[in-house]
């Protein structure tokens, strides 16, 4: 089957066909892009499971644990930041590994206290554990929703 | 436990199938129904089908990357098969499949950011091994290793390895050493060293085409590392850094060797049969193609050297039209753009994602804008679109990093399933 | 019940898993690069679409449209072989309009290839209505061209009120309808438009010197000046400046010296210091001369480039300087620029209406775009100086050219240029002037190369020109 004579007779037809296909493929691409928005929800769910839904509650504020490594300190780049001098610039590092959240002292002057004990090596966190950084007391809590195992 | 519904996944893969089918329709309109057309249609659509089934069975993570990858490599196979007449681009297709597999493989290696970073000594080793290979195995200052039956371009594989080196986690940045009272981060020092090595190597090879890619990756890596240590980048600092970059650019411009100078200053329209030949042909081809092209297989740019690689954008535009050419480019952009939808969850992955974005973006910029005479013309490839095995496989590896950033595995989920 | 539950267990907060700022930074950088890339891509698309005609034209992948004169008469036709036209059809404007052969680069066709390309991005090569309409009058050009007879030279004229270029003739001329088969045997100068090339201006330069003097000392002071001419005059440097009148003109005022084109008078004017050399240089520079090797702006006529005038003025007592101010030696001016200054004199303002050549562009699909308004040139000299020179030139024309310009109200200055062309010495005849009549409000410059006294004069050609452009609108 050969369409060449047809196109020679009606050059517009090929233009139209090309335009149609191109726009169609474009729409497909657009739909894929829109579907990527759903990907975000999937990613969120995945992370919610991965991170076990833990968050840090501290003096009325809730800090999300949205990454595998969370830096706590006085330094401006810290994810959880306290500005008083009792907190070292790089104080503690929260780290998610093997489904466990661990807290680690990364050279804090005043140390990191978990459930009242100063830690010297990475310490695994559980729900309702109390963490003390300087004068700030934090509690490990579990959030609801987003497909978290309750 | 609420089940994670892979809602859009099969639907998206169906869309890919439909998009390819629509493109095949256009090929049929150009060539009629011939055995070669049927062969192309069968292979591309079967590949889509098999690919989607594999993805359904093996894992359902990061469907954006996989879907776009399937879409793009299918499209590029159709493009490459139709240039200047229909002939199934077997080699291109094989490497496309290779790229897809490479993507999955590199995902498996890098999906755990901790493990990927623990393997950093290996990445350094691979980097220096590749550099040594380029220095000692390539013939007469070219970037190619000729193995007789196949030629490998090791510099393409340096790119993913370099991206792996450039990414870094906060933990690495906190490991400081001291020497003669100066505190420094060993990893940062190594990064600077590697950048210098690759720059010197490129200079030695008289092939500065890939240098902007490496510099962009290294520059963004430094930028990100800088951000770890300083939260805010002030306007003054950005202006200062911008001025530094401009000064370095001007410096490089002035000091560039004669063969580079020639490229920087040549006016393609005054030497249409000499140095400007490819670009003149490329631009004319785009103009002849117009909005919707001359039709698949009707182009004449195929007779110009590098029509499948360096000026592939023009070749696509000539046969399929500027509209399709632009759309293809934007489709490839979806890959690095995927981290805008699902943010990376670890420092190492975010570094990888930014590195991959830099590689893809700079390569495409150099290729497309170079062939269209907006910037000096260099011989780099468009990821997944240009012909070339090494580049294809390296791009596949890079796409795997993006997938890893999309669906990180901290080895926890599977073991924790039964818990609580 | 609710209260009890509240006591037992505080409500669990909703899970927040938003990525910390440090992670979002990666996204920000990526978004930044992406945005920059997409912006560049849009720019690329825009460039490709707007410049596609240029690509097609430059690479010769399309046909070309026509260039026509103000009445629609064809001056160049790219849609068919030019040999289809009779020989000599385009001879009068050949090296102004040019063709697509690439032999000439400073022509209307060469500079407007994209506009002439019968191509549009949307319709491709099918569309074929591209046209460039010029302000020229083909009939007037042909009349002037023929008036030259066998002589070589150039004639250029424009409407000093509207800026329309009417005549631009250059001889010898290539006949684009004949092609370039006999390229080697073509006389030199066939492939360029002499109107745009600087040449020795001869005494037409005295207009510039007079303008400078008027600006420096005032019209009345300069008009009252009297100098003596005995045929020879020895300057402060000990060099002799000869007058073309071997026995001299005697004591004369400016109007007579201007009419007589008396070299000693103007040399004494320069040396006298009434117009200090610095102010002469100032006036010259404003007029567009490249004085003493300084860079002057290149003039442009709808993309066609015109080399600026140049001269060397070092010391008012120096022979070379005086000789230069008289329009000989190192001084070079293009006929186009001489015409331009006449335009600024004719309107009495010291600033000319910017000449233009292209009236409208017709796209391949038939849409007509009028050329944008052109405005005025920079202020070359003061209005008072312009008015002063206008009076002197008008007086000159009335007294000495009443036969040639009978019936026209004109002003002009003639000149004889002593050219040393690689050792071959000859004299060119020039005439720069203007007509104030409503039927032919033109400023013009005529150049006849190697003219002998019995041959056609510049004034006669000017008369032909005025007759030819009279009444065209």
């Amino acid at each position: 089957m050969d369409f060449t004579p047809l196109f020679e007779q009606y050059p517009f037809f090929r233009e139209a066909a090309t335009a149609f296909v191109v726009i169609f493929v474009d729409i497909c691409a657009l739909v894929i892009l829109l579907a990527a928005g759903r990907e975000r929800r999937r990613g969120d769910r995945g992370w919610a499971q991965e991170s076990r839904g833990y968050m840090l509650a501290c003096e009325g504020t809730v800090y999300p644990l949205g990454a595998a490594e969370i830096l706590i300190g006085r330094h401006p780049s810290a994810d959880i930041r306290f500005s008083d001098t009792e907190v070292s610039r790089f104080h503690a590092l929260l780290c998610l590994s093997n489904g466990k959240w661990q807290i680690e002292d990364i050279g804090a002057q005043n140390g990191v206290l978990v459930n009242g004990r100063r830690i010297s090596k990475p310490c695994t966190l559980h729900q309702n554990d109390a963490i003390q950084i300087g004068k700030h007391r934090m509690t490990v809590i579990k959030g609801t929703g987003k497909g978290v195992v309750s | 436990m609420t089940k994670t519904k892979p809602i859009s996944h099969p639907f998206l893969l169906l869309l890919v199938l439909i998009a390819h089918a629509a493109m095949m329709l256009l090929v049929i309109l150009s060539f009629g129904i011939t055995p070669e057309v049927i062969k192309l249609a069968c292979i591309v659509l079967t590949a889509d089908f098999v690919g989607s089934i594999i993805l359904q069975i093996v894992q359902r993570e990061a469907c954006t990357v996989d879907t776009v990858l399937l879409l793009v490599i299918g499209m590029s196979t159709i493009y490459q098969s139709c240039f200047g007449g229909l002939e199934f681009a077997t080699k291109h297709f094989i490497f496309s499949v290779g790229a897809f597999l490479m993507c999955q493989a590199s995902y498996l290696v890098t999906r755990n950011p901790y493990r990927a970073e623990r393997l950093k000594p290996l990445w350094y080793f691979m980097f220096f091994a590749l550099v040594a290979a380029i220095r000692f195995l390539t013939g007469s200052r070219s970037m190619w290793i000729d193995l007789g039956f196949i030629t490998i371009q090791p510099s393409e594989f340096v790119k993913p390895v370099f991206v792996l080196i450039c990414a870094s986690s906060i933990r690495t940045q906190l490991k400081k050493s001291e020497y003669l009272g100066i505190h420094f981060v060993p990893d940062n020092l190594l990064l600077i060293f590697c950048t210098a090595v690759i720059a010197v190597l490129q200079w030695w090879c008289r092939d500065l085409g890939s240098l902007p890619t490496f510099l962009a990756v290294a520059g963004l890596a430094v930028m990100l590392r800088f951000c770890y240590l300083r939260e805010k980048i002030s306007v003054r600092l950005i202006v200062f850094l911008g001025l530094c970059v401009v000064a370095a650019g001007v410096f490089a411009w002035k000091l560039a060797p004669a063969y580079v100078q020639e490229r920087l200053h040549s006016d393609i329209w005054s030497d249409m049969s000499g140095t400007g030949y490819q670009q003149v042909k490329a631009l004319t081809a785009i103009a002849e193609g117009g909005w919707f092209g001359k039709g698949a297989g009707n182009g004449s740019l195929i007779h110009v050297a590098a029509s499948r690689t360096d000026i592939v954008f023009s070749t696509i535009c000539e046969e399929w039209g500027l509209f399709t050419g632009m759309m293809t480019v934007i489709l490839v952009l979806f890959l690095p753009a995927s981290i805008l939808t699902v943010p990376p969850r670890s420092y190492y992955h975010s570094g990888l994602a930014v590195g991959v974005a830099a590689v893809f973006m700079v390569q495409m910029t150099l290729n497309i804008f170079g062939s269209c005479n907006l910037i000096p013309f260099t011989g780099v490839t468009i990821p997944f679109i240009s012909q070339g095995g090494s580049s294809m496989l390296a791009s596949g590896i890079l796409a795997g990093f993006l997938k890893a950033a999309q669906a990180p595995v901290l080895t926890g989920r599977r073991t924790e399933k039964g818990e609580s | 019940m609710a209260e009890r539950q509240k006591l037992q267990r505080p409500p669990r907060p909703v899970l927040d898993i938003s990525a910390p700022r440090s992670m979002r930074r990666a996204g920000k950088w990526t978004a930044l690069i992406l945005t920059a890339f997409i912006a560049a891509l849009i720019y690329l698309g825009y460039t490709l679409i707007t410049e596609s005609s240029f690509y097609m034209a430059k690479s010769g992948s399309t046909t070309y449209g026509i260039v026509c004169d103000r009445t629609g008469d064809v001056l160049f036709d790219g849609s068919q072989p030019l040999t289809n036209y009779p020989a000599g059809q385009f001879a009068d404007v050949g090296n102004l309009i040019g063709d697509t052969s690439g032999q000439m680069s400073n022509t209307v066709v060469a500079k407007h290839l994209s506009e002439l390309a019968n191509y549009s991005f949307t319709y491709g090569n099918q569309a074929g209505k591209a046209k460039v309409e010029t302000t020229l009058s083909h009939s007037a050009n042909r009349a002037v061209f023929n008036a030259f007879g066998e002589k070589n030279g150039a004639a250029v004229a424009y409407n000093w009120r509207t800026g329309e270029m009417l005549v631009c003739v250059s001889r010898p001329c290539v006949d684009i309808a004949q092609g370039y088969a006999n390229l080697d045997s073509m006389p030199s100068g066939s492939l360029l438009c002499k109107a745009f090339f600087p040449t020795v201006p001869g005494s037409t330069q005295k207009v510039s010197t007079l303008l400078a003097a008027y600006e420096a000392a005032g019209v009345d002071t300069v008009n009252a000046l009297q100098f003596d001419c005995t045929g020879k005059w020895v300057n402060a440097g000990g060099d002799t400046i000869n007058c073309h009148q071997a026995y001299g003109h005697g004591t004369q005022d400016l109007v007579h010296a201007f009419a007589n084109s008396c070299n000693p008078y103007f040399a004494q004017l320069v040396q006298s210091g009434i117009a200090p050399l610095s102010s002469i240089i100032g006036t010259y520079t404003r007029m567009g001369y490249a004085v003493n090797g300084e860079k002057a702006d290149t003039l442009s006529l709808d993309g066609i480039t015109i080399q600026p005038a140049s001269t060397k003025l070092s010391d008012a007592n120096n022979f070379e300087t005086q000789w230069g101010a008289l329009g000989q030696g190192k001084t070079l001016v293009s006929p186009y620029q001489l015409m331009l200054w006449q335009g600024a004199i004719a309107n009495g303002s010291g600033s000319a209406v910017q000449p233009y050549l292209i009236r409208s562009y017709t796209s391949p699909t038939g849409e007509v775009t009028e050329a944008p308004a052109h405005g005025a040139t920079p202020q070359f000299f003061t209005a008072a100086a312009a008015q002063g020179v206008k009076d002197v030139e008008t007086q000159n024309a009335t007294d000495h050219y009443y036969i040639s310009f009978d019936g026209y109200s004109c002003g002009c200055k003639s000149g004889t240029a002593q050219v040393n062309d690689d050792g071959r010495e000859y004299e060119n005849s020039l005439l720069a002037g203007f007509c104030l009549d409503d039927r032919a409000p033109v400023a013009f410059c005529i150049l006849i190369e190697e003219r002998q006294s019995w041959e056609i004069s510049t004034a006669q050609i000017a008369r032909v020109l005025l007759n030819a452009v009279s009444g065209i609108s």
Side-chain angles (χ1 to χ4, degrees):
Chain A
M1 200 152 69
D2 193 4
F3 295 93
T4 324
L6 183 70
F7 288 147
E8 270 162 14
Q9 206 172 353
Y10 308 102
F12 172 75
F13 182 59
R14 193 176 64 204
E15 299 264 312
T18 320
F20 172 76
V21 169
V22 164
I23 290 165
F24 184 80
V25 176
D26 256 345
I27 291 171
C28 288
L30 195 73
V31 172
I32 290 173
L33 192 68
L34 291 177
R38 295 194 141 174
E39 180 95 335
R40 177 178 212 132
R41 264 182 263 161
R42 187 206 50 74
D44 282 357
R45 278 210 185 83
W47 180 253
Q49 285 179 27
E50 196 91 54
S51 69
R52 309 183 73 192
Y54 279 5
M55 298 187 288
L56 280 186
C58 174
E59 293 143 16
T61 322
V62 173
Y63 293 103
L65 301 180
E69 292 146 305
I70 302 276
L71 183 65
I72 304 173
R74 186 157 50 83
H75 195 272
S77 72
D79 299 313
I80 297 176
R81 191 181 162 205
F82 303 109
S83 47
D84 52 291
T85 46
E86 273 176 63
V87 180
S88 299
R89 274 188 300 174
F90 300 102
H91 197 109
L93 190 64
L94 275 164
C95 189
L96 177 66
S97 182
N98 282 325
K100 295 188 186 92
W101 279 102
Q102 292 191 315
I103 192 162
E104 189 181 339
D105 186 336
I106 47 170
Q109 208 110 64
N110 298 325
V112 178
L113 277 68
V114 177
N115 295 331
R117 278 199 306 276
R118 185 168 177 161
I119 59 165
S120 53
K121 58 181 188 3
C123 170
T124 305
L125 293 175
H126 302 280
Q127 201 174 343
N128 300 328
D129 275 356
I131 303 168
Q132 187 157 3
I133 295 208
K135 63 183 180 198
H136 306 278
R137 289 180 63 84
M138 292 183 277
T139 320
V140 179
I141 56 168
K142 203 160 184 172
T144 57
K146 308 217 171 170
V148 173
V149 184
S150 50
Chain B
M1 178 174 167
T2 330
K3 212 178 163 203
T4 311
K5 275 191 287 180
I7 339 149
S8 42
H9 202 212
F11 173 60
L12 286 181
L13 292 165
L14 189 70
L15 270 177
V16 172
L17 216 63
I18 292 172
H20 286 160
M23 288 181 73
M24 282 314 300
L25 195 71
L26 215 58
V27 176
I28 290 171
L29 287 179
S30 270
F31 293 102
I33 297 175
T34 65
E36 197 70 17
V37 171
I38 294 168
K39 181 180 165 195
L40 177 65
C42 286
I43 293 177
V44 168
L45 299 182
T46 312
D48 285 346
F49 197 66
V50 171
S52 38
I53 288 188
I54 290 175
L55 289 178
Q56 281 292 310
I57 293 171
V58 175
Q59 47 87 25
R60 297 166 168 189
E61 316 289 349
C63 64
T64 316
V65 172
D66 281 324
T67 318
V68 173
L69 200 57
L70 270 182
L71 183 61
V72 167
I73 61 180
M75 281 173 90
S76 85
T77 306
I78 296 177
Y79 291 147
Q80 295 280 357
S81 300
C82 291
F83 287 159
L86 193 67
E87 193 196 345
F88 182 68
T90 317
K91 222 168 139 187
H92 186 80
F93 179 72
I94 290 171
F95 281 119
S96 298
V97 173
F100 187 73
L101 297 177
M102 275 292 184
C103 171
Q104 313 309 325
S106 80
Y107 167 68
L108 290 179
V109 174
T110 55
R111 64 181 179 180
N112 185 337
Y114 304 129
R115 191 178 57 189
E117 209 186 5
R118 267 200 308 278
L119 290 174
K120 227 173 181 183
L122 178 65
W123 310 141
Y124 280 118
F125 172 76
M126 281 170 75
F127 176 79
F128 287 109
L130 283 166
V131 166
I134 294 172
R135 172 68 182 78
F136 297 110
L137 293 183
T138 56
S140 66
R141 292 195 164 199
S142 74
M143 287 293 213
W144 300 84
I145 296 178
D146 197 345
L147 295 182
F149 62 99
I150 197 169
T151 49
I152 303 174
Q153 204 175 4
S155 70
E156 289 292 339
F157 292 104
V158 178
K159 284 168 192 165
V161 176
F162 193 66
V163 169
L164 281 169
I165 288 174
C166 280
S168 159
S169 74
I170 189 102
R171 198 183 286 276
T172 314
Q173 293 301 307
L174 289 171
K175 268 186 216 145
K176 284 185 184 165
S177 299
E178 193 191 340
Y179 184 71
L180 295 176
I182 302 166
H183 294 268
F184 62 92
V185 180
D187 194 58
N188 292 356
L189 222 55
L190 263 169
L191 168 67
I192 293 168
F193 178 68
C194 290
T195 313
V197 164
I198 200 79
V200 168
L201 184 76
Q202 300 261 327
W203 194 278
W204 179 81
C205 290
R206 309 177 119 258
D207 177 10
L208 295 179
S210 314
L211 192 57
T213 314
F214 289 108
L215 289 183
V217 175
L220 277 171
V222 168
M223 215 65 181
L224 274 183
R225 287 168 188 219
F226 206 69
C227 290
Y228 297 158
L229 306 177
R230 208 173 290 262
E231 178 220 21
K232 227 175 168 181
I233 296 199
S234 67
V235 175
R236 207 183 290 173
L237 184 72
I238 288 177
V239 169
F240 173 74
L241 287 174
L243 286 178
C244 284
V245 168
V246 169
V250 170
F251 196 64
W253 189 286
K254 292 277 174 223
L255 282 184
Y259 71 97
V260 179
Q261 291 281 4
E262 211 171 276
R263 287 228 168 143
L264 294 179
H265 294 289
S266 67
D267 171 24
I268 61 164
W269 299 107
S270 61
D271 191 8
M272 289 198 284
S273 54
T275 50
Y277 181 71
Q278 279 175 317
Q279 283 158 290
V280 166
K281 285 287 177 195
L283 287 171
T284 313
I286 295 175
E288 282 180 355
W291 287 110
F292 294 113
K294 291 176 174 175
N298 295 339
S300 57
L301 197 63
I302 193 70
H303 305 299
V304 178
S307 58
R308 289 175 186 274
T309 51
D310 298 349
I311 53 172
V312 71
F313 176 70
S314 307
T315 322
I316 295 173
C317 284
E318 188 190 20
E319 293 195 353
W320 299 79
L322 183 68
F323 209 71
T324 319
M326 290 278 182
M327 185 198 69
T328 312
V329 171
I330 289 171
L331 267 180
V332 179
L333 285 188
F334 277 11
L335 288 172
S338 60
I339 73 156
L340 298 180
T341 56
V342 183
R345 297 290 183 177
S346 69
Y347 283 95
Y348 194 74
H349 276 164
S350 72
L352 284 184
V354 173
V356 175
V359 173
F360 279 13
M361 225 53 77
V362 173
Q363 297 251 104
M364 279 158 70
T365 305
L366 288 179
N367 181 299
I368 296 166
F369 298 98
S371 65
C372 294
N373 198 31
L374 288 184
I375 55 172
F377 186 44
T378 49
V380 294
T381 54
I382 301 183
F384 302 114
I385 305 294
S386 293
Q387 202 182 44
S390 307
S391 144
M392 196 66 146
L393 296 181
S395 306
I397 296 174
L398 288 168
F401 298 165
L402 290 173
K403 199 174 158 181
Q406 293 269 288
V409 172
L410 302 159
T411 61
R413 201 182 322 173
R414 274 155 191 84
T415 55
E416 292 289 310
K417 261 179 189 168
E419 209 186 281
S420 69
Chain C
M1 178 84 171
E3 210 164 290
R4 218 180 74 196
Q5 204 168 16
K6 203 174 172 185
L7 282 173
Q8 279 179 349
R9 187 198 271 181
R12 277 174 55 187
V14 174
L15 178 61
D16 181 359
I17 49 154
S18 53
R21 218 173 24 216
S22 47
M23 292 297 121
R24 290 203 301 266
R25 207 171 282 138
K28 269 188 210 161
W29 282 109
T30 312
L32 193 75
I33 315 173
L34 273 170
T35 315
F37 185 82
I38 288 180
L41 208 60
I42 291 168
Y43 173 73
L44 173 77
Y46 175 77
T47 315
L48 287 176
I49 293 163
T50 50
E51 287 191 0
S52 55
S53 302
F54 174 78
Y55 305 148
M56 294 297 276
K58 202 74 179 168
S59 61
S61 312
T62 181
T63 61
Y64 301 93
I66 60 172
V67 179
C68 66
D69 82 341
R70 57 196 297 126
T71 60
D73 201 358
V74 173
L75 301 179
F76 166 80
D77 189 344
S79 62
Q80 52 177 309
L82 286 167
T83 43
N84 290 358
Y85 286 90
Q89 171 79 10
F90 310 118
D92 51 328
V93 287
N95 37 16
L96 169 67
I97 302 298
D99 59 13
T100 51
S101 68
Q103 293 285 355
M104 295 178 280
S105 58
N106 198 29
T107 60
V108 172
V109 171
K111 296 289 183 186
H112 296 90
L113 268 184
S114 334
E115 287 86 349
L116 274 171
N118 263 327
Y119 164 87
S120 79
F121 195 78
T122 308
Y123 298 101
N125 269 335
Q126 278 115 4
K129 292 177 184 156
K131 187 165 89 175
V132 171
E133 190 186 344
T134 65
T135 58
L136 294 171
S137 162
H138 198 181
S139 59
N141 271 280
R142 195 173 287 138
V144 173
F145 184 80
N146 292 337
F148 271 87
E150 293 299 310
K151 297 308 294 178
N152 289 336
V156 59
Y158 92 112
N159 184 325
W160 54 262
R161 284 192 186 140
T162 60
E164 291 170 322
M165 287 292 296
L166 297 170
V167 173
C168 185
V169 165
S170 174
R171 287 185 69 114
C173 186
V174 63
D175 184 0
I176 53 173
Q178 301 288 300
Y180 298 87
N182 55 344
L183 190 61
D184 296 333
S185 60
M186 279 185 194
S188 76
S190 297
L191 295 181
L192 54 87
C193 183
K194 285 178 178 165
F196 302 139
F197 271 81
T199 178
V200 183
S203 295
T204 50
Q205 174 74 5
K206 286 179 180 132
V207 171
S208 304
T209 308
L210 183 57
L211 282 163
Y214 277 158
E215 279 204 336
V219 175
D220 294 338
T221 318
V222 177
N223 279 355
L225 278 178
Q226 295 207 328
F227 289 111
D228 203 33
C229 167
T230 59
K232 280 185 196 325
W233 178 70
V234 181
N235 73 0
D239 295 303
T240 307
I241 295 215
N242 289 325
C243 189
H244 59 90
Q245 171 72 272
Y247 303 106
H249 294 107
T251 306
Q252 51 191 339
D253 64 2
L254 178 102
V255 174
H256 288 94
F258 189 82
N260 293 334
S261 208
C262 179
N263 284 349
Y265 181 96
F266 275 87
Q268 289 172 74
L269 181 67
V270 171
Q271 190 180 301
S272 68
I274 285 170
L277 193 66
S278 59
S279 79
I280 295 180
I281 293 175
T283 307
Y284 274 23
T285 308
R286 264 180 284 127
M287 289 170 75
Y289 283 91
V291 184
N292 296 337
E294 296 281 325
K295 213 173 140 41
D297 290 339
T298 305
L299 285 83
S300 169
L301 175 64
D302 281 324
I304 295 174
T305 53
I306 297 126
Q307 289 307 311
S310 61
T311 188
K312 214 171 166 194
L313 304 172
S314 50
D315 178 358
N317 295 334
N318 178 291
F319 173 79
E320 196 186 56
T321 303
Q322 292 168 0
W323 203 229
L326 297 173
Q328 312 287 3
K330 294 256 159 68
T331 305
L332 293 170
V333 188
S334 65
Y336 172 83
Q337 214 165 356
L338 286 169
M339 172 201 81
L340 195 58
W341 295 328
Q342 292 300 327
I345 292 166
N347 65 24
S349 72
S351 158
V353 175
Q354 180 68 46
Y356 67 94
L357 195 53
I358 310 294
R359 188 186 257 181
S360 68
Y361 302 99
T362 307
S363 76
T365 46
E367 294 141 31
V368 181
T369 318
E370 298 291 325
H374 292 79
T377 64
Q379 192 76 29
F380 294 135
F381 29 80
T382 61
Q387 195 58 49
V389 173
K390 186 178 177 181
D391 294 342
V392 175
E393 280 194 26
T394 315
Q395 188 69 44
N396 183 30
T398 319
D399 293 349
H400 299 274
Y401 294 90
Y402 54 88
I403 298 172
S404 299
F405 294 145
D406 182 31
Y408 292 95
S409 163
C410 287
C412 67
K413 177 75 193 93
S414 64
T416 305
Q418 296 167 11
V419 184
N420 186 335
D421 186 2
D422 286 336
R424 199 171 67 87
E425 291 188 9
Y426 55 89
E427 290 188 340
N428 288 346
S429 185
L430 287 103
L431 184 75
F434 52 81
C435 178
L436 300 171
D437 283 14
D438 282 340
R439 58 197 159 125
V442 292
F444 57 84
C445 179
I446 318 283
L447 161 71
I448 304 177
E449 291 177 348
E450 298 184 58
R451 178 182 169 267
Q452 306 298 327
S453 55
W454 61 83
E455 290 172 327
I456 189 165
S457 72
T458 48
Q460 283 169 302
I461 292 180
R463 172 70 197 216
V464 171
L465 190 153
L466 288 176
N467 285 344
V469 300
S470 280
I472 59 173
S473 54

